[in-house]
Amino acid sequence: MKKFGFSPKRSSSSFIAHYPSPSRFTLPTPTKSLSDSVMVQTLEVAEPVILKWDSTTSSYANVTSLFYDNRTEALEFIKLVTKLHKAMRALVAENSNSELLIKAQHLMQIAMKRLEKEFYQILSLNRAQLDPESVSTRSSRTSPRSSLSDFADESDDEVRVANKLITEVEDAAEGVMSDLKSIANCMISIGYGSECVKVYKVIRKSIVDEGVYKLGVEKLKPVHVRKMDFEVLDLKITNWLNAIKIAVKTLFNGERVLCDQVFASSDLIRESCYAEITKEGASLLFGFPEVVANNSKKASGRIFRTLDMYTAIADLWPDIVSLFSFESTSFVVNQALNALVKLGELVRLDLTEFEMLLNKESLKTIVTDAGVHKVTIDTMNYLSLLGDYSVLGDILLDGSQSKKFVMPETFFDGSSSSENSLWLIWLMFILVCKLEGKANNYKDVSHAYLFLANNLQHVISKVRSSNLRYILGNDWIGKREAEVKKFAGTYERVAWGHVIDVVPKSVTVMTLEEARDCFKKINTVFDETHRKQLGVIIPDRKLRDEIKLSVARKLLSAYREFYDVHIVEMGKYDGVVKYAPEDMGNALSDLFFGSRSLSSSLSVSRITSVFSESRHRKALI
């Protein structure tokens, strides 16, 4: 506050009593100094303008706004007040006891009271123009003007209309901020900054606090979070995730822009205002994830919500650091950083607990249809979702100790060395080891190999359809696909090899009895094998079709040749020829759907096409 040897805000009571009104003041007659002359001239010009807007003596001034009534006059008002202040400073330096100062000081009090009222009215009546979203578009912190790229698909007329509307909104906000800045500069320079700042803080803080409340951010007590079901907490986290980007990008950013522009003349004041206005809202916003991280119950989906919150803060980190760059707002940055630390600790804890649960998975729990085990489905769902979070690598890298991963080179050759990759591959390796252990509990060896083929195929499918494909790479996927083919081939050989072997590979001279016995043996072996394999399932359509076609090519081609040669003479024996080639093909097409009554995705025509291929080759011979 400027000092003149007397209070610039109010003169002594005796002087005020002696000069109750500036209009009754009589200019001194003695010889005037240069400063006296300047003051007299300034008073003559400033007095009528200032008194016009004295709401205590003018009903017009009491119901009218200076800046709304005549903005040109408002700017002239500020110019005259500034000029009056300059004259007062000059006179104080020359003659601090001059009676002219009393009149000037009284006029200055009236002017400051008027500007304080105008400042309040502009802030109160222009909430729409000073909306953080409108203000932030005018900031050099973002861009000088709003972009019209969102209207690229609209017609030229629509773009022009949109451009005009955006310009009007932004110009309105610019005009209001300019008026506020003019008033603030004037009041601060004269020593009345505290009155201006008080009004600003009260009004803008209520707007920010209301904005945070409308975004649905709640202040959670640790004891309540500990008792809260995760489904309920999940809804609150969802609200917070929706709120944080708007709060940082729009609410706090817009408020920082407004503070920076209105109080551009004083770094100290704009810091004080911004800190006071945003501290409660920011503390509420960035305190939320820490309370959740420290007190939430264990839940299967907790790690993903934790990662969502971590990602939200990490993505906005440059904005947070920039917006709260003042020393007095550094606690907000520290609070956000502490939230990241706590969230990271919770992610590592949940990941470690998942590893423990996977290690505890019993080897005795198998699926009777040799299909995809629930542990495979759950684990791959878990890992594929984790693969979507790029922040996971940073979180794991921040762990106090690096985990040692010991895996065979056939599964992992060490080419992918990021902490994120190592953890995900390690968990996948544990899963594969568990699957191999479960396979050993199948009584039918063929079912064990089909179980491994099915589950590893599911692993590959989840990797291919998620970001895991980038983490693991094509080479890793290719090696696992080769393993699936190997398992499928072993299943085919173990389950169907003896059926294929019992069918004569070439039409040779055979007695009637030998042909009859051969048909009976084929019937018996095929029936037995078909019955055993009818209960198993291959969920992956491509793998299912490949196995069916492979068995059909090896079995049906040879069987048709044998059938065509001996079917006529077998007419003497009722029931000996149980299967025509088409019937055997139909039986194969019904396989690998388990106990479910589903039609084959591999049509009978696909299976029987093997017959036509065989006939075509035979005709060429």
Side-chain angles (χ1 to χ4, degrees):
M1 182 179 292
K2 303 291 188 294
K3 299 294 183 180
F4 301 109
F6 57 90
S7 171
K9 296 171 61 174
R10 51 188 64 83
S11 59
S12 66
S13 57
S14 59
F15 280 119
I16 296 297
H18 187 69
Y19 298 105
S21 171
S23 61
R24 296 172 55 187
F25 188 85
T26 304
L27 297 178
T29 56
T31 302
K32 307 179 186 65
S33 66
L34 178 62
S35 297
D36 285 335
S37 300
V38 171
M39 176 60 76
V40 170
Q41 293 175 8
T42 303
L43 288 172
E44 288 177 351
V45 177
E47 182 178 17
V49 176
I50 293 174
L51 292 179
K52 175 184 177 181
W53 294 100
D54 183 2
S55 57
T56 60
T57 60
S58 170
S59 57
Y60 171 79
N62 198 36
V63 297
T64 309
S65 168
L66 170 60
F67 278 81
Y68 277 96
D69 185 63
N70 190 329
R71 195 164 183 271
T72 302
E73 184 176 346
L75 297 178
E76 182 65 24
F77 184 94
I78 289 177
K79 183 186 290 187
L80 287 173
V81 170
T82 303
K83 187 175 182 180
L84 177 62
H85 176 242
K86 185 177 180 180
M88 291 173 69
R89 290 182 62 182
L91 187 56
V92 164
E94 186 176 291
N95 181 13
S96 60
N97 295 319
S98 172
E99 294 182 350
L100 290 171
L101 288 173
I102 305 300
K103 182 175 184 179
Q105 174 61 16
H106 193 80
L107 285 174
M108 186 63 72
Q109 287 181 332
I110 294 173
M112 290 299 102
K113 187 175 181 180
R114 183 74 229 179
L115 289 180
E116 181 181 347
K117 180 178 181 180
E118 292 293 327
F119 195 79
Y120 173 84
Q121 287 180 331
I122 294 172
L123 284 172
S124 301
L125 300 177
N126 291 277
R127 292 186 60 158
Q129 288 84 348
L130 297 177
D131 175 78
E133 186 172 4
S134 301
V135 171
S136 61
T137 61
R138 297 292 297 171
S139 170
S140 59
R141 302 174 65 88
T142 53
S143 59
R145 285 279 179 177
S146 296
S147 171
L148 288 176
S149 59
D150 292 339
F151 299 93
D153 295 331
E154 304 296 335
S155 67
D156 291 341
D157 288 340
E158 289 172 326
V159 170
R160 280 193 292 271
V161 170
N163 191 13
K164 182 179 178 181
L165 291 174
I166 291 174
T167 302
E168 289 176 355
V169 171
E170 293 179 348
D171 286 345
E174 185 74 9
V176 172
M177 285 191 289
S178 178
D179 291 342
L180 291 171
K181 181 179 179 179
S182 298
I183 296 174
N185 287 345
C186 181
M187 294 184 72
I188 291 171
S189 66
I190 294 173
Y192 284 77
S194 59
E195 284 79 0
C196 175
V197 167
K198 182 179 179 180
V199 170
Y200 187 88
K201 286 180 178 179
V202 170
I203 293 178
R204 296 311 301 179
K205 186 178 184 302
S206 67
I207 292 173
V208 171
D209 291 345
E210 181 184 352
V212 173
Y213 173 79
K214 286 182 176 180
L215 288 173
V217 180
E218 298 182 47
K219 185 174 184 179
L220 298 179
K221 294 182 178 180
V223 64
H224 293 160
V225 176
R226 285 192 289 270
K227 295 178 180 179
M228 195 177 295
D229 289 338
F230 189 76
E231 290 76 11
V232 177
L233 181 60
D234 183 65
L235 294 175
K236 298 183 183 300
I237 293 174
T238 300
N239 287 338
W240 182 87
L241 291 170
N242 293 332
I244 184 170
K245 185 173 182 180
I246 299 174
V248 173
K249 289 284 190 180
T250 301
L251 188 61
F252 295 138
N253 180 58
E255 210 55 48
R256 178 66 190 265
V257 171
L258 189 60
C259 263
D260 286 352
Q261 294 206 23
V262 173
F263 299 110
S265 63
S266 173
D267 292 343
L268 185 63
I269 289 178
R270 64 192 181 94
E271 176 180 349
S272 171
C273 286
Y274 189 71
E276 179 69 23
I277 289 166
T278 60
K279 65 179 181 180
E280 287 189 23
S283 181
L284 179 61
L285 186 73
F286 294 109
F288 179 92
E290 184 178 348
V291 174
V292 172
N294 288 334
N295 301 281
S296 60
K297 292 181 179 179
K298 292 181 182 179
S300 58
R302 184 175 69 173
I303 189 172
F304 303 111
R305 275 312 194 198
T306 307
L307 284 166
D308 287 336
M309 289 189 286
Y310 189 102
T311 301
I313 298 175
D315 288 347
L316 293 168
W317 185 253
D319 298 280
I320 295 170
V321 173
S322 175
L323 290 172
F324 300 96
S325 58
F326 298 122
E327 184 178 351
S328 58
T329 57
S330 61
F331 76 94
V332 177
V333 179
N334 292 333
Q335 192 175 29
L337 180 60
N338 196 48
L340 288 177
V341 172
K342 295 297 182 181
L343 291 169
E345 290 174 354
L346 185 58
V347 168
R348 291 190 291 272
L349 174 63
D350 283 351
L351 203 58
T352 301
E353 289 186 351
F354 183 84
E355 179 190 3
M356 292 173 59
L357 288 174
L358 193 56
N359 275 315
K360 290 179 181 179
E361 171 68 22
S362 173
L363 300 179
K364 296 181 179 179
T365 58
I366 61 174
V367 285
T368 56
D369 59 7
V372 181
H373 199 284
K374 186 177 184 298
V375 70
T376 306
I377 296 172
D378 292 344
T379 301
M380 290 312 300
N381 285 342
Y382 185 85
L383 296 182
S384 62
L385 288 173
L386 286 180
D388 292 336
Y389 293 94
S390 59
V391 297
L392 184 59
D394 296 332
I395 293 173
L396 297 176
L397 194 62
D398 288 339
S400 57
Q401 293 181 346
S402 296
K403 186 177 178 65
K404 300 298 181 182
F405 301 97
V406 182
M407 291 174 278
E409 291 186 4
T410 53
F411 192 83
F412 172 65
D413 59 10
S415 60
S416 181
S417 57
S418 71
E419 200 74 18
N420 186 11
S421 302
L422 288 171
W423 259 101
L424 298 179
I425 294 172
W426 172 247
L427 292 174
M428 213 170 296
F429 176 69
I430 296 174
L431 170 64
V432 171
C433 290
K434 287 292 177 180
L435 294 174
E436 291 176 351
K438 291 176 182 293
N440 292 330
N441 286 286
Y442 280 95
K443 295 180 180 179
D444 190 318
V445 177
S446 69
H447 290 178
Y449 283 106
L450 187 61
F451 171 78
L452 290 173
N454 278 329
N455 282 266
L456 191 53
Q457 181 61 42
H458 182 79
V459 170
I460 294 170
S461 296
K462 292 299 289 185
V463 169
R464 282 195 174 280
S465 62
S466 68
N467 281 333
L468 292 175
R469 66 186 183 276
Y470 303 117
I471 296 173
L472 300 175
N474 292 329
D475 185 59
W476 188 93
I477 295 173
K479 289 179 179 178
R480 303 291 83 76
E481 287 177 334
E483 290 176 7
V484 171
K485 289 183 178 180
K486 182 179 178 181
F487 289 140
T490 304
Y491 160 77
E492 181 185 322
R493 185 174 65 257
V494 174
W496 297 94
H498 60 297
V499 181
I500 296 170
D501 291 342
V502 82
V503 179
K505 298 302 180 289
S506 62
V507 180
T508 59
V509 178
M510 187 179 292
T511 66
L512 189 62
E513 286 73 16
E514 287 174 338
R516 181 193 62 184
D517 293 341
C518 191
F519 270 113
K520 286 183 177 180
K521 191 173 184 179
I522 291 172
N523 294 340
T524 301
V525 175
F526 184 83
D527 283 346
E528 181 182 347
T529 302
H530 186 269
R531 184 174 62 254
K532 285 183 179 180
Q533 304 307 321
L534 196 59
V536 297
I537 186 172
I538 304 179
D540 185 84
R541 179 173 180 174
K542 184 173 180 292
L543 180 61
R544 182 169 65 242
D545 289 355
E546 286 175 352
I547 292 178
K548 283 184 180 182
L549 287 173
S550 180
V551 172
R553 288 191 186 99
K554 295 173 183 177
L555 175 61
L556 297 183
S557 296
Y559 182 70
R560 173 168 285 281
E561 288 190 48
F562 177 70
Y563 177 89
D564 288 345
V565 171
H566 297 285
I567 185 58
V568 176
E569 58 188 29
M570 287 299 105
K572 297 180 180 181
Y573 302 98
D574 290 337
V576 170
V577 182
K578 183 175 182 179
Y579 294 100
E582 291 78 5
D583 297 329
M584 191 173 286
N586 289 338
L588 289 176
S589 69
D590 290 335
L591 289 175
F592 308 134
F593 292 97
S595 59
R596 296 173 298 168
S597 298
L598 296 174
S599 60
S600 173
S601 64
L602 181 63
S603 66
V604 175
S605 62
R606 289 282 303 281
I607 291 288
T608 55
S609 66
V610 175
F611 308 148
S612 61
E613 291 173 8
S614 175
R615 284 178 170 175
H616 180 64
R617 288 195 300 271
K618 188 174 180 180
L620 291 176
I621 296 173

